[in-house]
Amino acid sequence: MAGLTPRVALLMTLPPLMWAGNAVVGRLAVGSVPPLTLNLLRWGLALLLLLPLGWRVFRAPRELAARWPHLLLLGTLGVGSYNALQYLALQTSTPINVTLIAASMPVWMLAIGALFHGVRPQRRQLAGAVLSLAGVALVIARGNPAALARVQFVTGDLYILVAIVAWAFYSWMLARPPEHLRGARQPLLQAEGQVERPWTWSEALLVQVAFGLVSAAAAAAGEQALGSAPIRWNAWVVAALLFVAVGPSLIAYRCWGLGVALAGPAAAAFFGNLTPLFAALLSAALLGDLPQWYHGVAFALIVAGIGVSTRRSTPGRRDGP
């Protein structure tokens, strides 16, 4: 895996920025678009945008048929589950609670790596997790640590917790495909130049979206069957759909896939902690409020956590627990 080069840092910074915008839009969409329907429309539009780039992947149906269980699970976790659960969580939970729970991603990423892939967390990764979580907590508390004790959890908080676990599994599946899918022609998303692969990034993402839409459509159908409110179509809703289909979907997933391949899932998880900071700044901008002192301190802590967790070991030094 590559070190933390400027290119890798940029690749891992863009997704949190896009996902912060996605959280803001998802919150604003409450009452205008049902959450599971929003997820279906988002990825349906993304599929249409990807078709001109990756349609050739459907010319090899046997290859898709041979991989369908893995692809269905990958699409369900990354496309059908995470954002649907996030949009659902924003119906009842507050942005503060959702951000707080999402900040636990590095812990889940390290835990899943240790339990299912035999990757033991190193001391620097644990230290980086503490620094990054401290920065996120500072933003959530708005500079007042006592505010964390007043956070109350609701049903939506459980949805975002399940979403984070699903995303951790998804990220590890990108970096560690099953043994029978490994080899020169099998990995879905690998770093440029590392292996010969049959699919481009657009083709790989298109396949994930196509399989993920199966579960997304089923969830949206269930939502409609239970009597959800109709969509309130207007110019804002159309603009919101365009944004979530392009930014948090195509741009973010492309950058995340490359970043995971280059830096690894555990390192990428620390960059995910930039999402609540970006969300706070975007919310402040929409409300007309200037950033506060704790935003700068939190940014420094999160960046320090990224730096510590991705720093390479020196020769002869033991970083393990």
Side-chain angles (χ1 to χ4, degrees):
M1 292 184 293
L4 186 59
T5 64
R7 176 172 178 260
V8 173
L10 177 61
L11 287 172
M12 287 285 87
T13 301
L14 284 176
L17 178 60
M18 295 296 173
W19 291 329
N22 181 53
V24 173
V25 170
R27 182 63 178 175
L28 292 174
V30 173
S32 296
V33 186
L36 302 183
T37 301
L38 174 60
N39 188 58
L40 175 63
L41 292 175
R42 166 190 175 173
W43 289 110
L45 183 55
L47 183 140
L48 293 178
L49 295 173
L50 280 169
L51 275 175
L53 299 175
W55 63 271
R56 291 179 180 83
V57 72
F58 295 118
R59 296 174 63 180
R62 291 184 179 179
E63 189 174 3
L64 296 178
R67 303 182 182 189
W68 78 264
H70 176 76
L71 294 173
L72 181 61
L73 180 58
L74 193 69
T76 299
L77 291 174
V79 172
S81 298
Y82 179 81
N83 289 281
L85 290 167
Q86 184 187 49
Y87 293 146
L88 194 59
L90 288 169
Q91 301 291 306
T92 57
S93 185
T94 65
I96 291 180
N97 286 19
V98 169
T99 304
L100 176 61
I101 296 170
S104 66
M105 180 183 290
V107 177
W108 293 105
M109 201 77 80
L110 293 175
I112 290 172
L115 291 174
F116 295 93
H117 298 277
V119 180
R120 297 180 60 188
Q122 298 178 337
R123 290 176 180 175
R124 56 185 174 82
Q125 292 176 321
L126 296 176
V130 171
L131 287 171
S132 295
L133 290 175
V136 172
L138 189 63
V139 171
I140 294 171
R142 296 189 177 184
N144 180 16
L148 292 176
R150 297 192 292 269
V151 174
Q152 297 181 351
F153 295 94
V154 295
T155 304
D157 302 330
L158 299 179
Y159 288 131
I160 195 63
L161 178 59
V162 176
I164 292 300
V165 175
W167 186 258
F169 275 107
Y170 167 79
S171 296
W172 275 107
M173 287 182 68
L174 286 180
R176 299 287 183 90
E179 288 292 339
H180 69 284
L181 294 183
R182 296 180 185 178
R185 294 185 55 79
Q186 296 298 337
L188 295 181
L189 291 174
Q190 290 288 345
E192 299 287 353
Q194 285 187 352
V195 295
E196 180 185 354
R197 58 193 174 113
W199 294 345
T200 65
W201 74 270
S202 57
E203 293 168 346
L205 183 55
L206 178 59
V207 169
Q208 291 181 57
V209 173
F211 277 89
L213 280 174
V214 175
S215 57
E223 181 180 59
Q224 294 297 321
L226 293 175
S228 63
I231 301 175
R232 298 180 179 178
W233 288 105
N234 53 52
W236 181 89
V237 169
V238 173
L241 286 174
L242 287 174
F243 169 75
V244 297
V246 176
S249 303
L250 304 187
I251 296 176
Y253 272 64
R254 165 59 168 164
C255 293
W256 183 263
L258 281 176
V260 166
L262 290 167
F270 288 94
F271 280 86
N273 273 350
L274 290 172
T275 302
L277 179 61
F278 288 146
L281 294 175
L282 289 175
S283 298
L286 291 175
L287 295 174
D289 296 330
L290 294 177
Q292 302 298 314
W293 63 268
Y294 52 82
H295 290 133
V297 177
F299 183 78
L301 287 170
I302 293 172
V303 171
I306 295 172
V308 170
S309 65
T310 57
R311 179 171 52 86
R312 289 189 175 186
S313 304
T314 56
R317 177 179 175 179
R318 176 182 172 84
D319 278 333

